[in-house]
Amino acid sequence: MDATVHGTRAIAIVGPAGTGKTSLAEAILFAAGASARLGAVDSGSSVGDASPEARARCGSTELNLMRFEWMKDGYALIDAPGSAGFAADAETALAVADLALVVIDPDPARAPLVEPTLRRLEALRLPHALFVNKIDQARGSIEDLLAALQPLSAAALVARQIPIRAGERVAGFVDLALERAYHYQPGRRSEQVPLAAHLRSDESEARFHMLEQLADHDDALLEQLLNDETPDADTIFGDLARETAAGLIVPILFGSALGGFGIRRLLKMLRHDTPAAALAADRLDIAGAGAQVFKITHGSAVGRLALARVFGAPLAEGAELFAPDGSAMRIGSLFAVQGAATTKIDRAQPGDIVGIAKVDTIQAGDRLGAVRQPQGTAHAPPRPAGNCALAITVTDHKDEVRLSTALNRLAEEDPGLRWGLDEATQETLLHGLNDEHLAVVQARLSRRYGVAIKVRPPAIAYKETIRKAVTKHGRHKKQSGGHGQFGDVIIELRPLERGEGFRFEERITGGAVPRQWIPAVERGVLDAMTRGPCGFPVVDVAVALVDGSYHSVDSSELAFRTAGRIAMAEALAAATPYLLEPVSHVTIRAPGSAVSRITSAATSRRGQMLGIAPLEGWSRWDVIELLLPEAELSGLEPELRSLSQGMAHYEARFDHLAELNEKLASTIIQRAPEPA
């Protein structure tokens, strides 16, 4: 029954937040002998979640890498954060895995939480299995759980076990492939027990259903079942492994990470059913030897490391590899990673996950090849929408350069983070996936880089425009001894359609304003537009220079620029200015059960509904399209989470500027910042 697999196998542990993914990783390490004690997230003794930020919130804030050996085979664990704020950290890493182990709760009511994970794995074509954790706390039936889960998966869910109950409590399981019963033993491996008579009927029915599901993809097995023949164990285990690897089925096992229940049976499933690394290489279009980089880290002890999976052949320290552009580089030291600890190694085997030093130009998603040839397209997914933002400044101005360095490093590590200067408001904005994500980033800035920042909500880029056309005269005359200053202009100001921007033209006749000073008038007009009468930049206006006068001695570029600014300021004040606010086009993806609550919340935020449609390929999920003022996006992400069990998410992009009603405009104008 053992499958021959060469090299280390990589298992990604994924699933909704709070299901016990890191606890399961700890239980696997302990059962395999890679850890001397069963680490616990709550007590801060886990191998994973070792960062102070993860310890503080008792949950993963970044990817955790671990390794172990089981029955002389090597394994790498990729423990992915489940919280929406940190999920982006796992996207590139999932692509290099051989199998994903999806950890879920036994409560059927919480089953919908796993659908985003399953859809992502299906999109990646990554084989996966489900592990129902906390089974010792289950109160509902496994049948109800399976019924709730199946619509969420494109592939058939195949239960490999049925529970043995002692009253209301699950006390063990029956392995349907082996037809063996086991009782959980706290702190010890499960004990094999005789299959009780009252379970035989349930076991026989469940086993036959499992075989029928396998026979859907195996004609020989189907013929055996039709002829009432009993298939041998090799056929059953062979089909389980083959159909799992092909994504035709999704096996389901259960147990308890904290109790250590079902962990060794899970390990045996992983040993038998996890595909070889060659399948992941094929999925990634990797031919020959090389390494696929999936994450960058900056550690205080070892510096910058590119975390990568090795494919095709062993990789030695100092080896020459080729970047995606064909350039050669000699890599530095190699490191094995176990949680927060790194160990220097001389050589990595195919399938290993290692840290590679001194590849400073390489980014997550890049492929390093052993021969000089095109390395294909990088496998970094698009950066997720950073819907939450903070305007940031350093507490100490001497830290400005350090802040830039620190943010660049954090953004290199974290694909969900981005930062930069907002041209409209001239604020430095830090964008993250949610408020929790940004709080962790602030903590890392302080702890790792010693940079303290002040934060505030980003300013809204309000604009102003005008309702009517006016003509105004602007004159700048100053005499202070010697040459004076003289500029005199008449301009016509009129509104443009929304989005047309700014136009300037001149209709001077007879040389009233000499040609060389007309550009200065335009610059003066633009100066006045940076802050209109309402206190905000002016848009969608046209200005024509129609007349003026000059002095042969005192006129100058500065004088006509000043005259243009004066004329424009007076014209704007007389042209009935009004305020515009940015409006975003918002796309919300949410479970259908939450749509009515979400649309009500959007309406209360001055949202204009555009439509609701089913989310293609998903079970009872919808896509909501609406227009929402940018000012109303603040707090939307946590509200959506609270209305949808944490599942809804949105993307927003600027759509247009719209007139703000008089009451709100009055409030905004009163709060407008004073001119610098």
Side-chain angles (χ1 to χ4, degrees):
M1 293 186 295
D2 288 343
T4 301
V5 180
H6 300 290
T8 298
R9 284 166 280 187
I11 313 295
I13 302 180
V14 298
T19 54
K21 296 179 294 299
T22 301
S23 295
L24 179 60
E26 298 295 325
I28 289 174
L29 294 180
F30 181 66
S35 178
R37 62 174 180 173
L38 180 60
V41 173
D42 291 344
S43 67
S45 61
S46 55
V47 174
D49 287 352
S51 71
E53 292 78 29
R55 294 272 200 252
R57 61 185 300 278
C58 293
S60 300
T61 57
E62 60 273 315
L63 209 64
N64 291 308
L65 299 180
M66 289 158 268
R67 55 195 173 88
F68 66 94
E69 289 188 0
W70 172 255
M71 299 181 72
K72 299 182 179 180
D73 287 330
Y75 296 85
L77 291 180
I78 304 170
D79 176 20
S83 175
F86 311 104
D89 203 29
E91 287 295 304
T92 313
L94 287 178
V96 306
D98 300 316
L99 181 85
L101 191 59
V102 185
V103 185
I104 62 173
D105 284 324
D107 183 0
R110 290 176 58 81
L113 297 178
V114 79
E115 185 166 10
T117 301
L118 294 178
R119 299 305 180 195
R120 180 62 186 148
L121 297 176
E122 290 164 1
L124 289 170
R125 297 183 292 118
L126 179 59
H128 49 283
L130 296 181
F131 182 79
V132 183
N133 194 22
K134 308 175 187 178
I135 195 65
D136 49 344
Q137 303 173 22
R139 293 297 176 264
S141 70
I142 293 297
E143 291 77 12
D144 290 343
L145 178 62
L146 292 177
L149 288 169
Q150 185 56 76
L152 314 180
S153 173
L157 303 181
V158 177
R160 293 189 52 166
Q161 300 167 338
I162 61 171
I164 298 175
R165 291 188 175 273
E168 292 296 313
R169 182 175 57 88
V170 175
F173 65 93
V174 177
D175 187 298
L176 297 178
L178 293 172
E179 294 188 283
R180 295 175 185 170
Y182 297 87
H183 274 176
Y184 297 137
Q185 300 293 318
R188 295 181 289 129
R189 67 179 61 202
S190 300
E191 177 188 8
Q192 185 177 346
V193 297
L195 183 60
H198 71 278
L199 287 174
R200 292 189 182 279
S201 175
D202 290 344
E203 185 276 336
S204 178
E205 181 180 344
R207 186 173 195 268
F208 187 75
H209 179 60
M210 179 189 75
L211 295 177
E212 283 184 315
Q213 290 178 297
L214 297 179
D216 286 340
H217 311 286
D218 183 347
D219 291 341
L221 176 59
L222 177 60
E223 186 174 349
Q224 284 182 293
L225 297 181
L226 292 175
N227 293 330
D228 292 329
E229 298 176 11
T230 301
D232 58 34
D234 286 345
T235 297
I236 296 172
F237 281 99
D239 276 358
L240 284 167
R242 178 181 60 82
E243 294 178 20
T244 299
L248 300 173
I249 64 169
V250 179
I252 301 180
L253 293 87
F254 51 78
S256 169
L258 293 180
F261 302 151
I263 304 303
R264 287 174 177 82
R265 182 55 48 186
L266 172 63
L267 280 166
K268 290 179 179 178
M269 185 278 288
L270 294 176
R271 181 172 185 262
H272 185 268
D273 292 356
T274 302
L279 187 64
D282 290 342
R283 198 170 61 243
L284 293 168
D285 298 324
I286 296 176
Q292 180 72 43
V293 178
F294 59 85
K295 182 176 173 63
I296 301 298
T297 66
H298 292 270
S300 56
V302 296
R304 185 183 191 273
L305 287 181
L307 301 181
R309 191 169 189 212
V310 179
F311 288 101
L315 180 64
E317 177 183 357
E320 184 179 61
L321 295 177
F322 297 92
D325 63 1
S327 61
M329 63 178 62
R330 194 162 298 279
I331 66 172
S333 300
L334 300 178
F335 294 88
V337 182
Q338 187 78 327
T342 54
T343 305
K344 190 174 181 298
I345 58 176
D346 296 328
R347 192 176 185 84
Q349 298 302 317
D352 283 352
I353 288 178
V354 295
I356 306 175
K358 296 184 179 178
V359 286
D360 294 342
T361 61
I362 296 302
Q363 299 295 327
D366 285 349
R367 183 179 306 157
L368 299 174
V371 296
R372 191 191 297 271
Q373 62 183 24
Q375 297 300 317
T377 303
H379 284 269
R383 283 183 176 256
N387 290 322
C388 288
L390 291 172
I392 62 173
T393 55
V394 290
T395 303
D396 187 339
H397 289 296
K398 292 184 294 185
D399 285 341
E400 288 183 355
V401 175
R402 293 173 61 202
L403 175 65
S404 297
T405 301
L407 288 176
N408 283 334
R409 289 182 176 180
L410 289 175
E412 191 176 38
E413 292 181 346
D414 183 352
L417 181 69
R418 58 185 174 88
W419 73 283
L421 181 69
D422 185 278
E423 293 184 0
T425 62
Q426 292 299 299
E427 294 177 321
T428 298
L429 298 185
L430 186 63
H431 292 267
L433 301 187
N434 58 25
D435 48 358
E436 183 182 40
H437 182 208
L438 290 179
V440 167
V441 171
Q442 293 177 66
R444 286 177 179 155
L445 276 172
S446 176
R447 175 181 64 85
R448 289 169 53 176
Y449 300 102
V451 178
I453 60 173
K454 295 180 289 187
V455 303
R456 64 178 184 272
I460 304 300
Y462 294 105
K463 309 291 187 199
E464 56 182 276
T465 192
I466 58 171
R467 295 194 190 279
K468 65 181 184 180
V470 296
T471 300
K472 283 293 177 180
H473 182 200
R475 170 176 286 195
H476 177 60
K477 182 178 181 181
K478 185 175 182 182
Q479 190 70 42
S480 57
H483 287 306
Q485 295 182 36
F486 183 85
D488 183 42
V489 298
I490 297 175
I491 64 169
E492 292 179 356
L493 171 67
R494 61 184 175 86
L496 293 177
E497 293 296 321
R498 190 77 64 248
E500 288 193 56
F502 170 70
R503 295 180 194 165
F504 181 85
E505 60 182 15
E506 57 87 10
R507 298 200 298 269
I508 294 295
T509 58
V513 176
R515 291 279 170 196
Q516 69 267 28
W517 291 326
I518 291 175
V521 177
E522 181 178 1
R523 286 194 293 274
V525 167
L526 290 171
D527 289 342
M529 289 176 60
T530 59
R531 182 181 172 88
C534 300
F536 297 94
V538 178
V539 296
D540 300 335
V541 295
V543 174
L545 174 61
V546 296
D547 203 355
S549 62
Y550 71 100
H551 189 280
S552 59
V553 175
D554 292 343
S555 288
S556 65
E557 180 178 341
L558 176 61
F560 272 99
R561 181 169 181 171
T562 304
R565 178 175 53 80
I566 293 171
M568 185 63 174
E570 293 185 5
L572 287 171
T576 315
Y578 63 97
L579 210 57
L580 300 172
E581 66 173 339
V583 176
S584 296
H585 183 284
V586 178
T587 302
I588 303 173
R589 293 173 175 82
S593 58
V595 165
S596 62
R597 297 189 295 273
I598 289 172
T599 53
S600 295
T603 301
S604 70
R605 290 174 174 265
R606 299 191 287 135
Q608 177 187 344
M609 300 301 300
L610 299 177
I612 302 173
L615 180 55
E616 186 177 354
W618 288 56
S619 173
R620 297 184 294 276
W621 275 59
D622 292 319
V623 178
I624 306 166
E625 303 279 351
L626 69 150
L627 296 174
L628 194 67
E630 187 179 307
E632 301 292 344
L633 291 175
S634 177
L636 177 62
E637 191 275 337
E639 183 173 21
L640 290 180
R641 277 189 290 162
S642 70
L643 295 174
S644 64
Q645 292 185 289
M647 290 188 284
H649 63 280
Y650 79 93
E651 295 179 6
R653 57 176 173 80
F654 172 77
D655 191 82
H656 66 281
L657 291 170
E659 181 176 354
L660 195 60
N661 71 57
E662 187 173 345
K663 181 178 180 180
L664 286 174
S666 176
T667 302
I668 298 302
I669 292 170
Q670 290 175 10
R671 296 176 181 173
E674 294 296 325

